[in-house]
């Protein structure tokens, strides 16, 4: 799909609804959301605040380093005029033009004076406008902001036939189209790029989600959104007199009611709105002393209904509908009879696997998702950005665990209420099988999956090996992700779960097509497939596919490859350096887990993606447990990564890294394509980068770890495990690895879980602000 460079959006006529999108909310429910989003409870007493839907105001602590100073002043003077659709009220609506300018100028000086950042980083040279244009129209920005340009149909693309009942009966609704016209005047490329890279830092309420952009992608998108000729920006040096006046206005206007600012206290709340006169106050058509909101008539009526109508106990079904509407999940996902991609935006949802049809490009429906996905999978998708559809260009946004932490439990309650509908047939209650019977079942499942049976491997990858026809979801991920009951029902009738799916019905009307396999018993065949896939990577490859082992080489720039690996877990990241020194990083636990020299990696299918990788030379492997923790004392055991066995196949601590304070936040590349990994330990921000140092015949990996702590605190770092010998002060050796450490508090003690070996711990006393340590890993050849 090409894009015609016209700054227009193809949108249908808006429906008369308080909220955009195909939502199921009645007037009062929509009003409840608006009351939370507009933060009426910040000023008015008697409103029960709902923290899930409350839209917190942006963090203003460094606003002067992020936004144009001219924009700040103009926005304060007239928010809706400068930023169409903003939820910021006009607190100066009743003032004269001269008064507005005076107050806005003083407030701007006050806000800029709150900056505490040291120096602004050098302007970014990364990214490109063309890449930004493509990202905006493919990764999902269109779903909430609307297209900025019109697609041109490629010659080899056929118009999709929508002449079917499901399409014709689709209700007409206003698309979600949050305006971005204000962006070029508000940001420069660097400040917008930083915001797009980590939007939840500034806007913790998550209405602008994290789209899992790399640093280069964020900069490219920023270049596109700010345009080729952004307006000139004027910087303001705060004047003490105006700063003092601005502080007074900040108090008088009660800005602290929404914007938490150190040293500023909100004013006491005013009267309840229960019996309010809706022709006056905040919702009045005529500006007055109250904050003035630019609301459509339907929105004002919905807010009035929220206060006028008595609140009833909210069902889980209604709460889910509110959640999906508030966080705009309905812009991409369909649930029951609501939500779904708007017709005018449909063509911007793309895939690299066109043969998969809508399954490959449209985000999956959420109808019955509580029965479909296992609880742990729900959390991984919502909070860790797990994805099994690399072919789908639209990305699953991350709204942050603080905003959606209620959602997994909410879905599980709904699942429990509907559980009988998804109960398995009695055949699932079968006696324990003998070894011979298990072997027979596995052999049968292997045949069914292969090219002599149902040929599932023609359209589904298997253990990272690509399918020959369509490269659909990897079969081995299914028992990890799905509930067995849902898997059974889906295989029996895929079309009942997703309209227009290309997934064939292999057991039409519940009848097996292959009568000679497991006596043609449908339940036995599906159970056998499930058990076979549950073997994971130890499952024998079905007939009809062949493993491809592709080497990846490193040139003049570093190379990064992401995928599963025995040396780095299922969220492994391999980094190859031009000096032929390589390492693997386990992003699931935040640890450097392997180092090797020579050739880079071999993957089991060509191209960047989710295939497995393994070092192309013998690696020195390190522990894959979390590297940083906060121990109660120096004798406390190190928390170990849970290990599953055949005897104990259930993970006893599925949220192991998160339960110990770890959270991965991505990485960015420098000019040499060397990554810096970003993660957290509790409140401590950590950046972790390694480079190769070549000295005569020796090479070492120099690792710099930078910490940014909001307060002084102590954390522990496990640097090494195994048979460890102290070579000299600050130098330790384990096998063919020599590790040099900074001067710090070091403890060498028996290894947790294996007292015959040792573990090397560093006690790090972090000051407030930034600090760093440097480690050097040298590979020995004797």
């Amino acid at each position: 799909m090409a894009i015609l460079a016209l700054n227009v959006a193809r949108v249908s006529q808006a429906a008369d609804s308080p909220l955009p999108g195909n939502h199921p909310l009645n007037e009062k429910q929509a009003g409840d959301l608006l009351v939370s989003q507009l933060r009426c409870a910040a000023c008015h007493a008697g409103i029960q605040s709902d923290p899930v839907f409350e839209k917190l105001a942006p963090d203003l602590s460094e606003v002067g380093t992020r936004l144009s100073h001219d924009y700040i002043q103009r926005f304060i003077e007239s928010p809706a005029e400068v930023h169409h659709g903003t939820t910021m009220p006009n607190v100066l609506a009743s003032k004269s033009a001269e008064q507005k300018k005076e107050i806005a100028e003083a407030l701007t000086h006050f806000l800029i004076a709150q900056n505490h950042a040291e120096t602004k980083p050098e302007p970014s040279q990364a990214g490109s406008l063309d890449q930004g244009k493509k990202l905006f129209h493919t990764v999902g920005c269109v779903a909430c902001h609307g297209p900025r340009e019109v697609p041109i149909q490629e010659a080899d693309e056929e118009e999709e036939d929508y002449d079917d009942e499901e399409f014709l009966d689709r209700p007409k609704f206003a698309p979600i189209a949050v305006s971005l016209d204000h962006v070029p005047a508000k940001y420069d490329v660097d400040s917008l790029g930083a915001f797009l890279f980590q939007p939840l830092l500034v806007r913790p309420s998550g209405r602008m989600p994290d789209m899992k952009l790399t640093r280069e992608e964020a900069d490219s998108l920023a270049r596109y959104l700010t345009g080729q000729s952004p307006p000139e920006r004027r910087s303001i040096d705060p004047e003490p007199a105006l700063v003092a006046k601005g502080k007074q206005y900040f108090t008088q206007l009660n800005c602290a009611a929404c914007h938490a600012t150190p040293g500023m206290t909100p004013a006491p709340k005013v009267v309840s709105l229960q019996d309010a006169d809706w022709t006056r106050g905040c919702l009045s058509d005529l500006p007055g002393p109250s904050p003035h909101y630019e609301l459509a008539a339907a929105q004002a009526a919905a807010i009035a209904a929220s206060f006028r109508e008595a609140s009833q106990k909210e069902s889980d079904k209604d709460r889910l509908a509110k959640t999906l509407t508030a966080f705009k999940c309905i812009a991409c996902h369909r649930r029951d009879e609501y939500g779904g991609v708007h017709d005018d935006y449909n063509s911007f949802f793309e895939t690299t696997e066109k043969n998969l049809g809508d399954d490959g490009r449209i985000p999956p429906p959420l109808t019955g998702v509580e029965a479909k996905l296992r609880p742990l999978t729900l959390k991984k998708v919502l909070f860790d950005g797990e994805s099994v559809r690399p072919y789908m260009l639209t990305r699953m946004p991350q709204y942050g665990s603080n905003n959606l932490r209620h959602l997994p439990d909410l879905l599980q309650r709904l699942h429990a209420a509907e559980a009988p509908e998804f109960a398995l047939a009695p055949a699932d209650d079968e006696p324990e099988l003998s070894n011979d019977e298990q072997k027979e079942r596995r052999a049968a499942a292997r045949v069914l999956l292969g090219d002599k049976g149902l040929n599932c491997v023609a359209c589904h990858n298997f253990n990272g090996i690509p399918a020959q026809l369509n490269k659909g979801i990897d079969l081995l991920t299914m028992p990890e992700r799905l509930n067995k009951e849902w898997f059974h029902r889906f295989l029996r009738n895929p079309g009942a779960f997703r309209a227009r799916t290309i997934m064939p019905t292999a057991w039409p009307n519940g009848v097996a097509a292959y009568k000679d396999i497991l006596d043609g018993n449908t339940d036995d065949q599906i159970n056998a497939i499930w058990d076979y896939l549950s073997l994971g990577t130890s499952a024998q490859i079905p007939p009809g596919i062949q493993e491809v082992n592709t080497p990846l080489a490193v040139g003049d720039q570093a190379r990064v490859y992401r995928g599963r690996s025995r040396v780095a877990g299922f969220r492994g990241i391999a980094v190859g350096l031009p000096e032929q020194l390589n390492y693997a990083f386990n992003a699931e636990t935040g640890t450097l887990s392997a180092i090797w020299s020579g050739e880079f990696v071999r993957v089991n299918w060509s191209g960047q993606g989710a295939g497995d990788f393994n070092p192309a030379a013998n690696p020195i492997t390190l522990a894959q447990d979390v590297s940083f923790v906060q121990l109660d004392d120096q004798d406390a055991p190190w928390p170990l990564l849970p290990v599953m066995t055949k005897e104990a196949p259930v993970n006893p601590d599925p949220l192991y890294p998160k339960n110990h304070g770890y959270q991965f936040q991505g990485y960015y590349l420098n000019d040499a394509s060397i990554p810096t990994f970003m993660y957290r330990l509790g409140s401590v921000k950590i950046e972790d980068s390694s480079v190769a140092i070549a000295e005569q015949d020796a090479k070492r990996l120099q690792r710099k770890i930078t910490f940014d702590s909001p307060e002084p605190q102590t954390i522990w770092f496990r640097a090494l495990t195994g048979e460890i010998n102290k070579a000299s002060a600050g130098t330790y050796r384990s096998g063919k690895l020599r590790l040099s450490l900074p001067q710090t508090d070091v403890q060498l003690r028996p290894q947790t879980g294996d007292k015959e070996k040792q573990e090397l711990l560093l006690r790090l006393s972090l000051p407030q602000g930034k600090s760093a340590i440097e480690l050097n890993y040298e590979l020995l050849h004797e």
Side-chain angles (χ1 to χ4, degrees):
M1 180 189 73
I3 296 176
L4 177 64
L6 295 176
N7 190 26
V8 297
R10 304 183 306 158
V11 296
S12 301
Q13 185 175 0
D16 186 17
S17 171
L19 299 172
N22 184 22
H23 64 82
L25 307 183
N26 60 33
E27 186 179 52
K28 173 177 167 40
Q29 291 169 332
D32 291 344
L33 278 188
L34 288 168
V35 167
S36 294
Q37 292 176 356
L38 299 178
R39 300 207 68 207
C40 302
C43 294
H44 290 278
I47 300 175
Q48 187 173 357
S49 178
D50 191 331
V52 169
F53 304 120
E54 191 174 35
K55 182 184 175 187
L56 301 179
D59 181 356
L60 298 180
S61 58
E62 303 292 340
V63 68
T65 63
R66 300 195 310 271
L67 309 186
S68 159
H69 297 175
D70 282 337
Y71 177 88
I72 296 173
Q73 182 168 329
R74 291 189 299 107
F75 181 71
I76 294 172
E77 286 186 47
S78 182
E81 184 177 330
V82 174
H83 178 181
H84 178 67
T86 182
T87 54
M88 166 80 177
N90 189 344
V91 295
L92 306 179
S94 63
K95 308 293 184 184
S96 66
E98 293 77 12
Q99 289 174 316
K100 288 180 182 179
K101 184 174 182 180
E102 177 201 343
I103 296 171
E105 182 182 25
L107 281 169
T108 301
H109 280 252
F110 169 70
L111 292 174
I112 294 172
Q114 307 308 304
N115 297 342
H116 301 293
E118 298 171 359
T119 57
K120 194 172 181 180
E122 290 293 321
S124 170
Q125 300 301 319
S128 71
L129 188 143
D130 287 341
Q131 183 191 23
K133 180 194 297 185
K134 182 174 179 60
L135 284 167
F136 184 88
H137 292 92
T138 55
V139 300
C141 308
V142 165
C144 289
H145 296 289
R148 294 167 64 84
E149 314 194 17
V150 175
I152 301 176
Q153 196 79 11
E154 298 284 4
D156 60 348
E157 286 187 16
E158 297 181 3
E159 281 290 341
E160 191 162 1
D161 180 15
Y162 287 113
D163 189 21
D164 62 71
E165 185 177 338
E166 187 266 337
F167 179 76
L168 295 175
D169 289 345
R170 190 178 302 171
K172 300 303 177 186
F173 55 91
I176 299 172
V178 180
S179 172
L180 295 176
D181 292 344
H182 64 290
V183 165
K186 182 176 182 179
Y187 296 98
D188 62 18
V189 170
D190 298 300
S191 61
L192 180 57
F195 169 70
L196 293 174
F197 184 56
Q198 291 182 302
L200 298 179
L201 292 181
V202 177
R203 299 186 185 174
S205 288
R207 298 311 191 269
M208 170 60 199
D210 188 332
M211 295 302 295
K212 299 184 289 188
L213 300 169
T214 66
R215 201 62 174 264
E216 181 181 350
E217 288 177 334
D219 288 340
S220 294
L221 199 49
R223 290 186 189 282
Y224 174 63
L225 293 177
T226 53
Q228 293 180 309
S229 302
E232 293 185 12
R233 300 164 64 88
R234 179 175 65 93
S235 294
I236 295 174
D237 292 324
E239 298 178 16
L242 287 175
V243 170
K245 287 181 67 176
K247 184 175 182 180
Q248 292 176 353
Y249 287 131
F250 197 90
T251 301
Q252 291 172 11
L253 296 169
N254 198 23
C255 302
C258 290
H259 295 280
T261 306
M264 309 297 287
T265 305
K269 294 187 179 183
V270 296
V271 295
S272 168
L273 294 174
Q274 194 67 40
D275 300 315
D277 179 354
W278 302 108
T279 63
R280 303 174 57 190
C282 299
L283 301 186
S284 171
D285 291 335
L286 300 175
S290 300
H292 184 69
Y293 292 88
E294 297 283 344
L295 298 173
Q299 293 175 316
I303 292 172
S306 174
F307 291 113
R308 186 175 56 248
E309 298 178 24
S311 293
Q312 308 246 340
K313 184 170 169 130
E314 191 173 63
S315 69
D316 285 337
K317 184 177 179 181
D318 287 341
R319 189 160 184 80
L320 177 62
K322 274 189 178 181
T323 300
L324 300 184
T325 302
F327 291 94
K328 299 183 176 61
C329 310
I330 59 171
C332 294
H333 295 280
R334 193 169 179 84
R335 167 88 184 186
D336 297 328
E337 299 303 317
Y338 63 89
V341 174
H342 194 275
D343 298 340
D344 292 338
Y345 298 173
N346 189 286
S347 61
F348 293 93
F349 286 75
E350 297 186 60
T351 178
T352 58
E353 295 291 331
K354 294 185 178 181
N355 287 339
L356 294 177
D358 282 357
D359 288 359
R361 66 183 192 88
I362 302 295
L366 298 182
T367 303
V369 69
E370 60 273 25
K372 174 181 179 179
L373 297 182
R374 300 176 66 182
L376 177 59
T377 303
L378 279 170
K379 293 177 182 179
K380 286 182 175 180
V381 171
L382 291 171
F383 308 139
D384 295 333
E386 182 174 278
S387 174
V388 295
R389 296 177 176 87
Y391 46 79
M392 187 176 291
L393 300 189
T394 302
R395 301 179 186 179
M396 172 67 183
Q398 299 294 288
Y399 290 93
S401 57
N402 288 339
N403 296 303
L404 294 183
R405 67 176 60 181
H406 71 290
L407 192 51
D409 289 341
L410 175 59
L411 288 169
Q412 285 308 297
R413 290 199 302 272
L414 285 168
H415 180 37
E418 300 172 358
E421 180 184 346
F422 287 91
L424 278 180
D428 188 53
D429 264 335
E430 54 190 348
E432 186 174 344
L433 301 176
S434 67
N435 288 337
D436 289 341
E437 289 171 325
Q438 288 180 355
K439 288 180 181 179
E440 180 189 358
R441 290 275 289 268
R442 290 171 186 172
R446 184 169 175 264
V447 171
L448 283 168
L449 293 174
D451 60 352
K452 300 293 190 259
L454 300 172
N455 203 17
C456 306
V457 295
C459 294
H460 286 279
N461 296 348
F462 187 90
N463 198 16
I465 304 171
Q468 293 181 356
L469 181 59
N470 305 316
K471 296 170 178 58
I473 294 175
D474 196 306
L475 290 168
L476 289 191
T477 67
M478 294 184 181
E480 299 173 5
R481 301 171 48 247
L482 307 178
N483 284 315
K484 188 175 182 180
E485 297 89 342
W486 188 92
F487 180 81
H488 264 257
R489 286 182 168 269
F490 180 79
L491 288 191
R492 286 170 174 267
N493 188 6
F497 291 81
R498 185 159 190 174
R500 304 169 63 87
T501 183
I502 67 165
M503 173 76 179
T505 304
W507 291 270
N509 298 316
V511 178
Y514 288 85
K515 309 292 185 185
D516 57 339
I517 299 177
L518 297 178
D519 299 326
N521 185 298
T522 295
D523 286 329
D524 285 349
Q525 289 182 359
I526 297 177
N527 276 329
I529 291 174
W530 177 269
D531 294 341
Y532 177 75
L533 296 178
S534 298
L535 294 173
T537 55
S538 64
Q540 190 176 358
I541 296 174
I545 58 177
Q546 214 171 17
E547 186 169 357
V548 179
N549 207 11
T550 305
L552 295 185
V554 178
D556 296 335
Q557 297 263 312
R559 184 164 188 176
V560 177
Y561 184 86
R562 294 166 290 176
R564 295 181 298 182
S565 174
R566 61 181 174 83
V567 299
F570 79 93
R571 294 183 71 187
I573 303 175
V575 180
L577 302 173
E579 296 82 358
Q580 286 200 308
L581 193 60
N582 317 290
Y583 69 93
F585 185 84
N586 187 327
E588 176 70 7
T589 57
T591 187
L592 191 154
S593 58
I595 308 173
W596 66 98
S597 62
E599 295 181 359
F600 183 32
V601 295
R602 293 182 179 276
V603 296
N604 57 13
W605 60 289
S606 59
Q608 187 84 0
D612 293 358
F613 73 82
N614 282 302
N618 290 330
I620 293 175
T621 56
L622 306 172
Q624 296 191 48
D625 314 292
V626 288
S627 284
F628 290 95
V629 295
Q630 291 172 317
L631 297 177
D632 294 334
D633 57 68
Q634 64 180 12
D635 298 321
W638 198 266
L640 300 180
L641 181 69
V643 177
M644 280 73 74
T645 63
K646 290 184 178 180
E647 294 73 25
V650 179
N651 190 340
D653 188 5
L655 295 179
Y656 159 76
K658 186 168 290 185
N659 288 340
H660 294 287
Y662 170 80
Q663 183 181 14
F664 186 62
Q665 296 187 309
Y667 63 88
Y668 61 90
L669 305 177
N670 67 7
D671 293 340
S673 296
I674 294 174
T676 295
F677 300 109
M678 300 179 297
Y679 48 97
R680 281 178 176 266
L681 174 65
S683 62
V684 181
K685 299 178 185 177
I686 302 175
E687 293 198 353
D688 189 341
S689 184
S690 299
V691 297
I693 306 295
E695 297 172 334
Q696 297 179 352
D697 295 333
K699 285 184 287 191
R700 57 186 168 88
L701 192 70
Q702 186 180 84
R703 183 184 184 190
K704 184 177 180 181
I705 307 176
T706 303
F707 309 93
D708 189 353
S709 176
E711 59 187 2
Q713 57 183 302
T714 298
I715 65 174
W716 291 82
F717 170 59
R718 189 164 72 153
L720 203 58
T721 63
E723 296 179 356
I724 304 172
N725 297 306
K726 183 174 182 180
S728 61
T731 303
Y732 295 83
R733 177 171 174 172
S734 178
K736 293 185 178 181
L737 180 68
R738 181 159 54 208
L739 176 63
S740 300
L741 304 172
Q743 292 185 349
T744 187
D745 187 356
V746 177
Q747 182 181 359
L748 185 61
R749 69 180 193 180
Q751 182 175 319
T752 303
D754 187 351
K755 301 304 180 185
E756 299 299 318
K757 298 179 181 179
Q758 297 83 40
E759 56 189 8
L760 185 64
L761 306 185
L762 277 63
R763 184 178 184 273
L764 304 176
S765 298
L766 303 182
Q768 182 179 10
K770 292 188 176 181
S771 58
I773 61 171
E774 184 179 289
L775 301 95
N776 285 274
Y777 302 82
E778 184 180 353
L779 278 67
L780 305 175
H781 301 289
E782 67 270 18

